[in-house]
Amino acid sequence: MATVKRFLAASCLLFSALLVLNSVPVLAQGNDASRISPRARAIHDSAIVIDTHADTPQRFLDENFDIGSTDPNDVGHISLDKARAGNLAAEFFSIWVDPETNQGHFAQHTLDLIDSVYEQAARHPDGMTMAFSVDDIERAHKQKKLAALMGIEGGHSIENDIRLLRDFYRLGVRYMTLSWSNTNEWADSSGDIDDPKIQHHNGLTAFGKNVVLEMNRLGMMVDISHVADKTFWDVIAVSKAPVIASHSSARALSNHPRNMTDDMLRAVAKNGGVVQVNFFSAFDDQKYLTAFLAQSKEQEAAVEQYVAKKKSAGEPVSYLDKDRIERQWSARIPRPPLESMIANIDHIAKVAGIDHVGLGSDFDGVSGATPEGIDSAADLPKITQALLDRGYGADDIHKILGGNTLRVFKEVERLSREFEAQPAQGK
Ligand SMILES: [Zn+2]
């Protein structure tokens, strides 16, 4: 089934489920303030913390999940309470359209997900506000509200129409991941690059290059997470603005094609961009990845069996159900320590430089497979503690927690003002 393939080839798939059989209760490890020193707490609380990738909109739309939920048994990573406890200032909510189940109406589903984020903000005006710029993030932070931004995950959302790209920008989308796990008609993906049945383009097509340039002109950040290596290099050659890898880790530490090689990390540094580390254990920890791959066939078969059973009974199959099964399988592999994720931050800081690393959790998109101690946004201060323990100073920690992402966003905005007098890219 596609779900496991997605996990292996990509991530960021299924939103988290409410129905959990084998998972650790959320608050058992979360909010463990005793492990945060006063210094770490002070550094963390004086930062503008930005996470560039959470799949929570799937929950808003499909589960009718309310971000104001205070349910202690909810296994989701994001709520307003959890964000507040973790001093999360801004979240880029992922607008991800499943390319298999939404054939023929990618744009419509994109619009539905965008609407779901706005509706949450409308429901909670005291705790959450839509944000479209660096200024908006800073203003929301002063007002102690979660700044809600949006990034489209997968270029198939624009249905090969550059006008739709502009419309999505006007609706507030501030980054786009050029591909998800699926190669689209203008950008190759790492998720299916070895699949001979898929028609590839040797990176970006001419139209794909126009998409990148139009994103530069609009002020929409170009996100290279998920893309095939050649697509990455094409983007680096074409983009006139710094790029982001909104939720990617280091291939040197977990050998997955979705992760960044050291050469790529150095190229992002030269480009002025930032790589936001993914919290998914399979992307951060080789041992976990190996164990995950070892059971993948069996897991896939379990999901297939379930789907076949439901279908033969004439019942619908929901993502929630598939996610529940995947969580059970994930739970069979011991969670790696938080250090495995911190090691990725450290590696990228060493190879690319301290100005080029940030946080891109993939919260609510990894079926609960995050490192020990990271059960929700409430646990973000533990990252500050761990960085402090590794010898990072306050200024560097602030850069990692959000400063670098703000810098890139600001530069993309500035360049956009420079480019906007130029003619738009055509069809
Ligand atoms: Zn993803």
Side-chain angles (χ1 to χ4, degrees), residues 176-249:
M176 182 167 76
T177 322
L178 299 181
S179 79
W180 181 60
S181 304
N182 57 311
T183 288
N184 54 48
E185 286 164 77
W186 47 270
D188 287 346
S189 167
S190 65
D192 59 16
I193 196 67
D194 296 325
D195 185 346
K197 294 194 293 296
I198 303 292
Q199 193 194 337
H200 292 110
H201 321 289
N202 190 29
L204 278 181
T205 65
F207 175 78
K209 289 173 185 171
N210 282 345
V211 169
V212 169
L213 291 172
E214 188 66 356
M215 290 171 75
N216 291 163
R217 200 184 67 88
L218 291 167
M220 191 189 282
M221 289 182 279
V222 177
D223 179 17
I224 54 76
S225 283
H226 284 284
V227 301
D229 289 5
K230 178 58 164 57
T231 309
F232 168 85
W233 292 108
D234 284 355
V235 171
I236 289 292
V238 167
S239 179
K240 294 178 177 170
V243 301
I244 60 168
S246 72
H247 56 311
S248 290
S249 297

Side-chain angles (χ1 to χ4, degrees), residues 3 54 80 89 107-108 118 158 160 178 224 255 325 353 373 411:
T3 47
L80 290 178
Q108 187 209 334
Y118 274 87
I158 67 167
N160 307 315
L178 299 181
I224 54 76
N255 188 17
I325 297 170
E411 180 63 2

Side-chain angles (χ1 to χ4, degrees), residues 249-250 252-256 259 278-292 333-341 343-344 371:
S249 297
L253 299 184
S254 179
N255 188 17
H256 192 290
N259 280 343
N278 195 310
F279 296 5
F280 179 38
S281 296
F283 293 159
D284 288 341
D285 188 279
Q286 186 65 49
K287 234 169 85 181
Y288 189 99
L289 176 62
T290 304
F292 197 91
I333 310 170
R335 293 171 84 181
L338 175 55
E339 274 305 302
S340 70
M341 192 272 277
N344 280 265

